Every structure is written in structure tokens, then in C-alpha cells.
Amino acid sequence: MIQPTEASLADFLTVILPGGYVDNDGVVHREVELTPLTGREEELLARERSHEVASLVTTVLQRCIHRIGTISPVSKDMIRSLLIADRQYLLLKLRELTLGDTIQASVFCPWSDCGKKIMVSFLTDDIPVIETVSKEPIYKMELSAEATFVADSGETYREICFRLPKGSDQEILSSIVVQDEKRAQSLLLQRCIHSIGSLQDPDENTISRLSTLARLEIEQQMEVVAPRLELTMESTCPECGREYAVPFDVQNFFFGELRTNRDLLYREVHYLAFHYHWSEREIMDMPRQKRRTYIEVLSSEIERLNHVA
């Protein structure tokens, strides 16, 4: 009986995080080894719900990351503690490992008098990745005089200590964003700001007292020190000839592209099990591309034998 082949070195991809995972000793780990999606992850994606995207990112990455730096296995808590840009980058590289580096998507021209559906194509390497210069768990900044925070006691503070948003923040706030985006933004600031002057771990009420200018300055400084992916596609509409920019949502695009109809997945498993007599576990543990390659080879062989007969 033919046996499915084991994963080869080509099934792994080593990447360098634009930010990095900081362990309990303060050591920054940036090298990550990824393995491609298997049928198990595809089955999970078939059950995905839109409000569960952040937690789904955590689950999929935890299953497909072999190691972070010298740490293996990788826990879900580690994935939750990764910076948002690092999670986006890993999803992008996981997509590259699973389906290749060419991305094709359909969008609608944003100009109201056009609105035509157009196809765009680009490579994963075309997406600019900006690394952090300083990889610190906590950053300090000083508000401008105009943005000075005035506490209930009348004391004024300008020094802000903050951390960068992580996957855990996305998970916790994902349901709130849908209901009240403004409150979700305030709660994110509350979670990320460690101190305002001598005020440690400010509560939601304290954060609400920050002026619009203070919030803007804090958010701008977060953007300056954070790693990021430039996820806005700029192109020219072939229909109307005008330039446009469309945000590229890595998470939703990735899961939408890879989400396999559960019935189709099970039919593929049945097809290989029927002809090769492999177990469901063996087939579902295969990377998607390898499973499809076996199906193509088998289909070609069956067609050849039918012609011979």
C-alpha cells in the first residue's frame, strides 16, 4: 500500500519578525519557523465566524508555528502576546507557504461614477514591511504642553508610558468593536497605557479624560515605534483610468481565500482514502498543496488506465 510522504524541508519556511517576541527574561526572539496549513486547519476555517477572527488567527498560527527563536512548542499565550504587525506578517508568510507568493483579488473601483469590478495581482514581497528600530516592552513619550493631562486632583502630567497593541487585545476587544468602535479604541488605550505621570494602570474613566490632542499624540507615537505592514493597495482602474487606494485586510482575505467548503474537503479525503487506503488522520494531516498534488496524480493515472482499457 502506498504511504503518504513525510513533510520535507521544503514544507517549512523560516522568517524574521518585523517586531519580535519578548520572553520573560527580556530576550527578543525574531526567527520563526512556519509549517503549511493542513486539512485540520481547513476544517477549522470552514466553521469560522466573523466575530472570531482574532482568536482564529491565534489558533491557526499556534498550529502552524514550529518554533519562535529557540522556543518550541509554541503556546497560544505566546501567539496572543505577539504584536499585531507580527501576526499579520506571519499570516502573509503562511499564505505564501501554502498557496504561493502571488495574490490575486477582485475589488470594486471606489469612484462612485465607476464602481466597476476589477482584478488586482501582486506578490507578497511587494507589501512593504517596516521593522521596529527599538524593540522595547515599554515605551516613554512626553505630551505637548497643549495636550497636558489634568488629573481629578488638579495635578498635571505629560509623561506617558505605553506598550504596543498585541493579539490578546484584538481577541478581547473584537466583539466590542462591532458594537461600539469608539469605546473599543478607549479600552485599547487603557490596556496599552501603563502610566500617565504617577498614575499607574489608569482606568477607563481616567483614559476618557485624555484630550483629543493627547490621544492623537499617543496614537501617532505608537505608530512611529511599532512595526507595520503597508496594507493599502494603490493602483489605477483600467475602466475609468483613475488612481485609487484600497485597504488590504490580511486576515479576512487569507481566511476567505483558504476557507474550503467542508463538503469538498471531505470529498477529497474520501477520494484519497478510497484509492490509497490511507486513514483520515493521515490525509487530514497533509498540507493542502500535497493533498491536492496526490489528487492530481491519482486522477491522471486513473484517466491513463481508462484509456489503456
Side-chain angles (χ1 to χ4, degrees):
M1 181 178 68
I2 298 176
Q3 294 293 328
T5 59
E6 296 294 327
S8 65
L9 291 176
D11 291 328
F12 295 82
L13 180 66
T14 302
V15 300
I16 304 298
L17 295 175
Y21 170 75
V22 182
D23 65 22
N24 293 332
D25 296 321
V27 177
V28 180
H29 301 268
R30 297 185 62 200
E31 188 174 89
V32 176
E33 193 171 69
L34 287 169
T35 61
L37 291 175
T38 70
R40 298 295 181 191
E41 285 73 57
E42 292 181 57
E43 185 177 38
L44 178 66
L45 287 169
R47 299 194 299 266
E48 182 263 331
R49 298 292 181 269
S50 59
H51 65 280
E52 299 172 347
V53 171
S55 59
L56 186 63
V57 170
T58 298
T59 299
V60 169
L61 288 180
Q62 191 263 333
R63 291 186 180 194
C64 295
I65 291 178
H66 178 64
R67 65 176 175 85
I68 297 179
T70 58
I71 305 172
S72 182
V74 175
S75 68
K76 281 191 175 182
D77 284 341
M78 288 177 62
I79 303 301
R80 292 187 180 104
S81 68
L82 289 175
L83 301 179
I84 291 174
D86 282 341
R87 286 160 61 97
Q88 291 176 328
Y89 179 73
L90 288 171
L91 282 181
L92 197 63
K93 289 302 177 180
L94 184 56
R95 191 273 176 201
E96 179 180 313
L97 177 60
T98 305
L99 292 177
D101 60 0
T102 300
I103 294 177
Q104 293 182 321
S106 61
V107 298
F108 291 94
C109 177
W111 292 95
S112 59
D113 58 345
C114 178
K116 295 293 180 63
K117 185 177 182 179
I118 52 182
M119 295 297 298
V120 294
S121 178
F122 57 96
L123 301 176
T124 53
D125 285 342
D126 290 339
I127 297 176
V129 179
I130 291 84
E131 297 184 1
T132 48
V133 176
S134 174
K135 302 179 187 338
E136 305 292 340
I138 302 295
Y139 295 86
K140 289 184 180 181
M141 66 169 289
E142 188 170 288
L143 295 173
S144 66
E146 296 77 11
T148 298
F149 177 79
V150 182
D152 289 334
S153 62
E155 293 182 272
T156 59
Y157 302 107
R158 291 175 63 186
E159 184 180 86
I160 305 291
C161 293
F162 65 87
R163 65 166 174 82
L164 296 175
K166 301 177 181 180
S168 56
D169 301 314
Q170 285 183 314
E171 286 193 19
I172 291 173
L173 300 177
S174 59
S175 60
I176 300 176
V177 169
V178 178
Q179 301 170 1
D180 189 342
E181 186 174 353
K182 185 176 180 180
R183 179 165 184 257
Q185 291 174 338
S186 291
L187 289 174
L188 178 61
L189 275 181
Q190 180 193 341
R191 291 177 59 83
C192 290
I193 293 177
H194 277 228
S195 63
I196 302 175
S198 62
L199 303 177
Q200 300 292 316
D201 299 319
D203 58 20
E204 187 176 355
N205 181 60
T206 301
I207 296 299
S208 69
R209 291 173 58 83
L210 284 168
S211 67
T212 300
L213 179 59
R215 287 169 176 263
L216 179 62
E217 290 183 6
I218 295 170
E219 290 169 358
Q220 287 178 335
Q221 187 59 26
M222 284 183 171
E223 290 181 8
V224 168
V225 299
R228 67 183 185 277
L229 279 65
E230 296 291 354
L231 295 174
T232 300
M233 299 187 300
E234 296 183 358
S235 188
T236 302
C237 176
E239 297 292 335
C240 67
R242 285 174 291 189
E243 295 182 350
Y244 66 90
V246 177
F248 175 62
D249 190 321
V250 176
Q251 295 177 173
N252 289 330
F253 178 83
F254 177 79
F255 292 142
E257 187 181 35
L258 286 174
R259 190 180 300 118
T260 303
N261 180 281
R262 196 182 308 181
D263 182 61
L264 175 60
L265 173 63
Y266 293 157
R267 285 178 182 277
E268 290 180 351
V269 172
H270 169 75
Y271 185 73
L272 291 175
F274 180 81
H275 289 281
Y276 286 139
H277 306 292
W278 295 335
S279 68
E280 180 191 41
R281 180 186 61 79
E282 290 173 318
I283 300 170
M284 290 290 281
D285 285 345
M286 286 183 194
R288 174 188 177 105
Q289 188 57 47
K290 183 168 289 185
R291 188 180 72 243
R292 298 263 169 105
T293 298
Y294 276 122
I295 290 173
E296 290 175 8
V297 171
L298 181 56
S299 297
S300 296
E301 183 63 16
I302 291 174
E303 184 176 355
R304 186 189 66 82
L305 292 174
N306 288 337
H307 282 301
V308 171

